[in-house]
Amino acid sequence: VPVCCSARYNLALLACFGFFVVYALRVNLSVALVEMVQANISIPIGNSTYACPEHPSSSGRAHNKTGKLHNWDADTQGWILGAFFYGYIVTQVPGGYLASRYGGKWLLGGGILLTAIFTLLTPIAADLGVGYLIAVRVLEGLGEGVSFPAMHAMWSSWAPPLERSKLLTISYAGSQLGTVVTLPLSGLICFHLDWTYVFYIFGSVGLLWFILWSWITSNTPETNKAISEEEKEYISASLKKQLSLTKTVPWGPMLKSMPLWAIVVAHFSYNWTFYTLLTLLPTYMKDILRIHIQEQHQSDTNQCPLMYPLRSKIARRKHPKKNGFLSALPYLGCWLVMISVGQIADYLRENQVFSTATVRKMCTLIGMIGPAVFLLAAGYTGCDYTLAVVFLTISSSLGGFSMSGFNINHVDIAPSYAGILLGITNSFATIPGMVGPVIGKSLTHYNTIEEWQTVFYISAAINVFGALFFTIFGKGVVQDWALGTHHSHT
């Protein structure tokens, strides 16, 4: 069955665009917030002398400052940034259940549409007061909480078993791409326009995606109008003995399943390191390595993060080694690895070089222990910021292996309930986003290299434990409780 222009790969590409939007709407506030607050209210740098000498920066022309400023202290900013996850965790399991029962198309589309609408309303909410802004962020989290479970549920009906790694990694690679593009682009928007346009532009992109999604996609191959009969039969035949014939959810056996808990532990462990890097990496670069990721010209600290490297390149063409969008590099590497490894993983399975379980465990081990090693190495680079950025980029890039590991193992062990399983594992995996950065901040009160080494040690240890747990208890075949019949399976 041809790959080019096929319905299943069209779905993967549109899903990739969708998760680009998901992460664009999620991370844009972290850039815009610095521009939204008064300069003297911004989050303090630290209480101690710096461990490393400051890197020189160049001055550039003043940026647009027409956006309204707000008097929000550091604690208030923390609540604003964290509010998203309190909504996000609520809709994980319900989203998976509803998608498994009614299909994921409109659930995923409606969730991102809701998030896009509230993103467009963010400037108004900020003007009304911090309580309104926090409420808007919680509602955005509610909308995005259904995205991954709904997509997993759709792939349970769309992805032939030997193409799962390819199709799912293409879909979810959009999340890394969204981070790579949104961080520097939001800085550009702040510089040339003002912070309100960050929300207007990305919110509008979300509306555009919803129109395309509604027009092109369908819940199953059987209801798709553009799919060929050959492709429809191919997908149907490949999934014939993998889907349950019953509509009731086997909650008891499901929650007692050790392969499910293997995914839970791995997902939780991986996200601990992911959220630690996502939220604390800019602080580490600024406070320890003393890398200017925003311009400090004329004592003006009220600017968008990640703006300096790009502005330096455009306005002055100086300091070329700083124009690489340092904070986006790790996610770019992860995106490239994720796409490549997905192709390799399915090649190994299709040609029976390794079993599905072996491929999933190999990818998980590389995708979790590899990042742990290079994360620890980054803590021992001293003040060599180039080497530190290289190690952190390698660490995040190797994490892309895990997308072909535990991240898609839900579809292997229970395709009929993949959305529900992802809702369960992602609920646990959201907890690190709430507590990991808080613990990291509490351990770096004086911003010393030794304190940051402790943060990296904790993240690395959790990563290694999760990888080993999944390797011992993970499976690669459909579980008996997920079939609802006495089909044999291999």
Side-chain angles (χ1 to χ4, degrees):
V1 179
V3 168
C4 181
C5 301
S6 64
R8 64 192 187 282
Y9 277 88
N10 287 342
L11 175 62
L13 292 174
L14 195 54
C16 180
F17 182 22
F19 283 97
F20 173 95
V21 173
V22 164
Y23 268 72
L25 299 180
R26 182 184 302 192
V27 305
N28 57 9
L29 179 65
S30 64
V31 179
L33 186 61
V34 180
E35 183 80 0
M36 296 167 68
V37 298
Q38 297 281 2
N40 60 347
I41 304 295
S42 56
I43 300 175
I45 294 177
N47 300 323
S48 67
T49 57
Y50 290 108
C52 298
E54 183 174 7
H55 294 285
S57 65
S58 64
S59 60
R61 64 184 180 86
H63 71 292
N64 189 303
K65 298 182 180 180
T66 56
K68 183 179 179 181
L69 301 180
H70 302 276
N71 294 313
W72 297 332
D73 60 20
D75 289 337
T76 301
Q77 294 176 52
W79 278 106
I80 294 171
L81 290 172
F84 175 91
F85 291 102
Y86 289 92
Y88 187 73
I89 196 172
V90 171
T91 50
Q92 293 292 324
V93 176
Y97 175 77
L98 292 173
S100 297
R101 190 171 181 83
Y102 302 108
K105 173 183 176 177
W106 294 112
L107 191 64
L108 174 60
I112 298 180
L113 174 64
L114 179 71
T115 306
I117 291 173
F118 282 111
T119 297
L120 291 170
L121 295 175
T122 297
I124 298 176
D127 288 343
L128 291 175
V130 67
Y132 289 93
L133 180 57
I134 289 175
V136 162
R137 289 295 290 178
V138 171
L139 292 171
E140 288 181 20
L142 288 172
E144 286 201 4
V146 304
S147 55
F148 283 96
M151 194 70 248
H152 250 47
M154 288 187 70
W155 281 126
S156 69
S157 299
W158 272 97
L162 293 179
E163 293 185 21
R164 284 172 181 160
S165 302
K166 299 175 186 175
L167 292 169
L168 272 72
T169 52
I170 291 173
S171 302
Y172 298 137
S175 59
Q176 303 296 333
L177 189 60
T179 305
V180 169
V181 173
T182 302
L183 291 176
L185 184 57
S186 294
L188 264 179
I189 295 170
C190 285
F191 179 58
H192 291 290
L193 303 171
D194 64 56
W195 64 262
T196 60
Y197 286 92
V198 171
F199 303 104
Y200 294 146
I201 291 173
F202 286 113
S204 299
V205 172
L207 296 181
L208 172 63
W209 172 85
F210 176 76
I211 294 172
L212 294 173
W213 180 259
S214 303
W215 178 40
I216 296 174
T217 62
S218 61
N219 281 316
T220 64
E222 289 74 22
T223 57
N224 190 280
K225 298 178 180 179
I227 192 172
S228 67
E229 287 298 325
E230 182 185 15
E231 183 181 9
K232 186 189 299 184
E233 176 59 29
Y234 164 61
I235 296 173
S236 176
S238 67
L239 296 173
K240 190 172 183 180
K241 292 187 177 181
Q242 295 216 345
L243 300 177
S244 173
L245 300 179
T246 62
K247 293 187 177 182
T248 58
V249 180
W251 291 106
M254 178 188 295
L255 296 176
K256 295 177 184 177
S257 174
M258 187 55 71
L260 169 61
W261 289 104
I263 303 174
V264 169
V265 173
H267 204 166
F268 177 95
S269 302
Y270 178 84
N271 270 22
W272 186 284
T273 301
F274 174 78
Y275 284 124
T276 297
L277 282 177
L278 184 66
T279 56
L280 299 182
L281 179 57
T283 302
Y284 178 73
M285 287 184 171
K286 180 182 66 175
D287 293 355
I288 300 298
L289 302 181
R290 307 298 304 281
I291 297 174
H292 283 268
I293 57 174
Q294 65 182 50
E295 186 154 304
Q296 304 292 337
H297 180 52
Q298 296 179 345
S299 300
D300 180 13
T301 59
N302 185 32
Q303 299 190 24
C304 286
L306 311 169
M307 191 56 245
Y308 172 73
L310 184 60
R311 183 161 67 249
S312 177
K313 179 178 180 181
I314 295 175
R316 300 186 57 86
R317 303 288 175 179
K318 294 182 180 180
H319 299 283
K321 63 183 178 183
K322 290 187 179 180
N323 60 28
F325 306 171
L326 296 181
S327 292
L329 266 180
Y331 307 103
L332 176 61
C334 187
W335 176 71
L336 293 172
V337 170
M338 189 185 299
I339 294 292
S340 303
V341 173
Q343 308 299 312
I344 296 171
D346 276 348
Y347 174 83
L348 295 175
R349 296 167 63 232
E350 187 173 0
N351 290 275
Q352 299 183 3
V353 178
F354 295 113
S355 67
T356 296
T358 301
V359 170
R360 299 290 182 242
K361 292 176 181 181
M362 287 170 52
C363 289
T364 299
L365 285 170
I366 297 173
M368 295 184 71
I369 294 181
V373 170
F374 283 96
L375 186 62
L376 285 179
Y380 287 90
T381 55
C383 296
D384 188 341
Y385 80 94
T386 301
L387 189 59
V389 171
V390 169
F391 283 164
L392 289 170
T393 299
I394 295 174
S395 176
S396 182
S397 298
L398 288 176
F401 275 84
S402 66
M403 181 54 70
S404 295
F406 74 87
N407 260 302
I408 59 175
N409 191 227
H410 316 73
V411 190
D412 296 324
I413 66 172
S416 294
Y417 309 107
I420 297 175
L421 296 192
L422 184 61
I424 294 171
T425 66
N426 213 18
S427 294
F428 285 95
T430 302
I431 296 173
M434 299 176 176
V435 302
V438 175
I439 294 175
K441 282 286 189 181
S442 68
L443 292 174
T444 55
H445 184 69
Y446 296 105
N447 271 321
T448 65
I449 291 179
E450 291 74 17
E451 287 177 335
W452 279 96
Q453 288 173 349
T454 301
V455 172
F456 293 157
Y457 266 117
I458 292 173
S459 297
I462 292 174
N463 244 23
V464 171
F465 173 76
L468 295 178
F469 194 92
F470 181 82
T471 301
I472 296 171
F473 297 107
K475 300 293 183 183
V477 296
V478 181
Q479 301 299 290
D480 291 334
W481 55 264
L483 290 170
T485 67
H486 297 288
H487 283 313
S488 62
H489 54 278
T490 59

